[in-house]
Every structure is written in structure tokens, then in C-alpha cells.
Amino acid sequence: MDEMTLLRGMRSGIASPPPATLARHRRKVLAGIGVVSSVDTAVVAPPRAAGRGKARRRITLLAAAAAFLVGVLVTADVVLPDRGRATAEATQLLDDVEAAAMSTADPVLLPGQYLKIEREELLSNTFAADGVVLSWDALSRDQLYVPSDLEGEWVWNREAQVPADSAPEVVKELARNRAVNDPRTEAAMVGVFRAPGGDFDGAGYTILGVPPADTSGLPRDPAKLLDRIYEYTKDRGTPDDKAFEMVKEILRTGVIPSDLRVALYRAAALIPGVDAVGSVVMADGREGVALGMVSLDGIWRSDLVIDPATGLVIGEQVVSLQDYDGAPAGTVSSWRSVRTSVVDSAP
């Protein structure tokens, strides 16, 4: 059997790919061979008069090659599990979350008030001392104060990391002396920081390329929003992993309006490998429902945890799916909790 016959057989036995998947791969293939695509129309620079015949034949050949390559890539996508479509479980979970989110009004801030986002995180850490490398868990806490005017001054209070209760005593002693041992690090990482528009690193803080105050222009259609995320995160690593991480990064800011928040949830559910996890209990005792993505090696699952009563993100966690390094399957190796409230002042 030749390759073309095999390919036709594979394509005849699978469902048609979703339009968003087809369009994304068409654009990538056409761009890769030098043809600019706008939806389904290939646009090329006008050929010189003397070479019109050759140019026309070249365009025809490019289009044929692109069509074949798109077919191959899309076929590969459809073979992968649930590429470009949410599972029934994820759809039901998100229908419930959307109903909760849309019935819960976004916080309304009066002039001078702030949206306070409190974040606490369990981190795996290492510390080298006297030729010995120590591994330990650390707790990191910070509070972000977002003004009613999103273009105004944001305030970020970052606390020093502290060893978790499970950390060895020698690590706790080192942590107690860290400010003395390396005051420059403490000065750069700990304290109260201020920045207009949330631009703390001076690079121009944006959400998918737009300032936080301008997110109304981002797509609310999940497939289009996911395309935007893939485009924004391209060349940054494994595309699907980076897309899911970007969704979590955007949501943990705490400033996303409910309609965009729901669109992000639904976009995440379209990422291959992301599915409904069901009910989970966070380390701080709060219960939620989660969308989870299993690592390629099948050892870990990364969860985005949502409050089913409000549709708000309440945290993230990484769960082991197999016994690993002395910890049984089901162990939460790292987590991040998020709480939001409205306050009248900032530090």
C-alpha cells in the first residue's frame, strides 16, 4: 500500500476536523511556504509580466502542496484524543460554571477602592549549603491591589518565602538568616512595589498583547480566543502546555471580567489533553471543580480549580498520578490559592 492510499484510508475513518483547527493549520502551512492566508484566500505579490505563466503555475503548485500538507497535519490532529473539542464531561462542567459566573456580578469598585488579590503558593525549593543540596517546600505569599482605574497605580506586596512545616530544621535556620546573608536578593524580591497599569517589570504589562483596561477587544468565542493564545505563545515551548499555562496565568490576575473568564475556561477545554477532573479540595480547605491537563509522561496532572458557586478561579494545583519519590499517587506536589475582595486602601 502506498502512502497516499494509506492517508486516504486514515482520513475516511475519522471525523471532520473542527473549523478552527483546519483554519489554524492552513494558516501555518501557507505561511511556512511563503503564501499569506486571510481566512481561506491565498494572497501573493503580483508576478512580473514576463513570468506570469510560470508564476501562475507556481501558485497552483503551492496551493496543491498546501492542501496536501494541511490534510496531513489535520489528520494527525484528529487522531490525537479530543483535538479541538471539549469532552462531554468538560462541557457539562463549564455549562454549570458559566451559569454561576454570569449570575455573580463582577466586583464594582468605587473611586479610590482596590480589588485585592491574595495569593499563597507552595513551591518546591532547593538550597545548597556546605556542599549539600537540600530539597524543601516553601510557602510564598503576596497581595496585589488593583485600582478602580486599571490604568492607575497598582500596588504589589511580596512577602519573603518561608519554609513549610515539613522542611528540615537546618533549612528553617537558613531561611531565618537569609536577609542577612543576601540582602540584595531580599530587596529585589520582597517588599511593596508600585507600578502604573500593573507594569512592574517595565516591559508593558498586557493580557494577550492588550492592556488590562482594554480586554473588551479580546475574542469571546472560545475557538478564536484559543487561536489568539496559540499565536501569542508560539515558539515558547510545547504549544498545548504553554496554551494551558497562559490561560492559568491570565486568570490568576483576578481582573478578568466574567464573560472573558468563561471564554477562557471554554478555550482551555479545547486544548488537547485538558478535561474535567470533577470535585477537588484545595490545600486551604475550599472545594471546587477543576479542569486538568495530564503531563505527556502521564505522571502529573495540572489543575485549574474553579468555585462552582461563583465561577471564580480559586487556585491551581499539581497532582501526582503515580507513586513518585516516596509519595503515593494523588499527592499534591504544589499548589496556589487565590482569593479576591474589595478594599478601601492599599499599603
Side-chain angles (χ1 to χ4, degrees), residues 19-341:
T21 299
L22 181 61
R24 181 163 67 249
H25 285 299
R26 181 183 290 112
R27 289 195 297 272
K28 288 182 178 178
V29 171
L30 292 177
I33 60 177
V35 180
V36 178
S37 173
S38 175
V39 190
D40 289 332
T41 305
V43 181
V44 298
R48 295 179 180 178
R52 281 181 182 167
K54 292 181 180 179
R56 187 178 296 111
R57 284 194 297 273
R58 180 175 180 273
I59 295 169
T60 302
L61 289 172
L62 286 176
F68 174 75
L69 289 173
V70 168
V72 172
L73 291 173
V74 170
T75 298
D77 275 346
V78 177
V79 171
L80 290 172
D82 301 314
R83 175 77 173 184
R85 67 193 68 187
T87 65
E89 292 80 3
T91 299
Q92 182 59 59
L93 182 151
L94 292 175
D95 286 345
D96 295 340
V97 166
E98 178 173 5
M102 302 313 290
S103 64
T104 303
D106 290 328
V108 177
L109 274 63
L110 300 175
Q113 289 187 319
Y114 294 84
L115 185 66
K116 180 182 180 181
I117 301 110
E118 300 175 79
R119 295 176 290 202
E120 184 175 11
E121 184 174 5
L122 179 71
L123 302 167
S124 295
N125 218 330
T126 58
F127 195 96
D130 299 326
V132 178
V133 177
L134 302 171
S135 297
W136 51 288
D137 290 334
L139 288 173
S140 173
R141 298 182 179 92
D142 69 273
Q143 303 85 40
L144 181 66
Y145 296 81
V146 181
S148 55
D149 176 7
L150 292 178
E151 296 178 346
E153 183 181 76
W154 296 32
V155 181
W156 189 12
N157 180 45
R158 302 184 64 180
E159 301 180 20
Q161 289 186 18
V162 296
D165 291 340
S166 59
E169 186 59 37
V170 62
V171 169
K172 295 177 181 178
E173 182 63 27
L174 288 169
R176 283 191 286 269
N177 296 327
R178 182 187 296 174
V180 175
N181 293 335
D182 193 352
R184 291 174 300 176
T185 299
E186 289 294 306
M189 301 297 292
V190 177
V192 177
F193 302 86
R194 305 176 190 278
D199 186 15
F200 291 97
D201 63 4
Y205 176 57
T206 65
I207 295 173
L208 293 179
V210 302
D214 295 335
T215 56
S216 60
L218 291 174
R220 266 50 175 180
D221 176 84
K224 292 179 180 178
L225 183 58
L226 183 57
D227 279 343
R228 177 74 171 260
I229 292 169
Y230 275 122
E231 178 66 22
Y232 191 77
T233 58
K234 67 181 180 180
D235 302 326
R236 298 188 189 183
T238 306
D240 297 331
D241 288 340
K242 294 306 296 183
F244 191 48
E245 285 303 314
M246 177 55 65
V247 169
K248 291 190 292 184
E249 181 179 318
I250 293 170
L251 289 168
R252 76 175 65 118
T253 65
V255 298
I256 306 303
S258 57
D259 60 338
L260 180 55
R261 203 161 58 238
V262 169
L264 285 163
Y265 296 154
R266 293 195 179 277
L270 299 179
I271 299 171
V274 174
D275 201 354
V277 173
S279 299
V280 300
V281 179
M282 291 289 297
D284 60 7
R286 290 181 295 169
E287 297 183 15
V289 294
L291 291 172
M293 184 175 195
V294 177
S295 61
L296 292 176
D297 57 16
I299 296 177
W300 308 97
R301 188 189 70 233
S302 177
D303 292 343
L304 174 67
V305 187
I306 306 164
D307 182 347
T310 64
L312 290 170
V313 170
I314 59 174
E316 303 164 29
Q317 61 183 16
V318 175
V319 183
S320 63
L321 302 180
Q322 303 175 17
D323 295 349
Y324 184 82
D325 197 23
T331 299
V332 175
S333 62
S334 64
W335 52 263
R336 176 186 286 110
S337 69
V338 180
R339 295 177 182 269
T340 59
S341 60

